[in-house]
Amino acid sequence: MGTLTKYDALIGELEPYTPSPLALRKALADAGVEKPDSEYIAEADRRSIAVAAIKVLMKMVVLTSDSMGKSSQGYSVDKLEKRIRAICSENGLDVSDFVEVPTVSDGSDLW
């Protein structure tokens, strides 16, 4: 097996979802990943690949389905958000930067 590239690592992080190559490359650029065709080194690249994956998944949240040619995919918003939360947790990222997080407010002033 050849070298795992940063681009390949992003694809692996997103499975089973299959976004377009353009969406993948843009997410890598937006996440500040340089040289996406260079070797993926987990210690150095894990967080930036996670951010790129989250950026792709966030775009999918607004879709309920996608079709390209003869193939199509359906998306569950809840499951996409759950996957985003999992990626954040695995990579030490603040989930509130990416999805809405329910908050509990102090209602003691209402008594």
Side-chain angles (χ1 to χ4, degrees):
M1 183 173 155
T3 302
L4 180 69
T5 67
K6 296 172 187 179
Y7 182 85
D8 295 334
L10 177 57
I11 291 171
E13 188 69 48
L14 290 168
E15 284 187 351
Y17 303 105
T18 55
S20 73
L22 180 60
L24 296 174
R25 293 217 176 264
K26 181 172 184 320
L28 288 165
D30 289 349
V33 175
E34 295 180 14
K35 301 178 184 175
D37 295 320
S38 64
E39 183 178 2
Y40 170 75
I41 300 169
E43 300 81 33
D45 299 319
R46 180 176 285 128
R47 285 178 65 111
S48 59
I49 296 300
V51 170
I54 291 167
K55 288 182 177 295
V56 172
L57 293 173
M58 287 173 55
K59 288 181 181 178
M60 291 179 166
V61 167
V62 298
L63 299 173
T64 56
S65 66
D66 181 28
S67 65
M68 295 176 68
K70 293 183 180 181
S71 67
S72 65
Q73 299 187 93
Y75 305 115
S76 164
V77 171
D78 293 337
K79 292 191 180 187
L80 283 168
E81 288 182 350
K82 187 175 181 180
R83 180 65 184 132
I84 290 169
R85 292 175 201 280
I87 292 171
C88 287
S89 176
E90 292 166 6
N91 293 282
L93 299 167
D94 185 355
V95 71
S96 66
D97 290 341
F98 304 102
V99 294
E100 279 190 39
V101 177
T103 58
V104 177
S105 59
D106 181 5
S108 62
D109 62 326
L110 302 173
W111 307 72

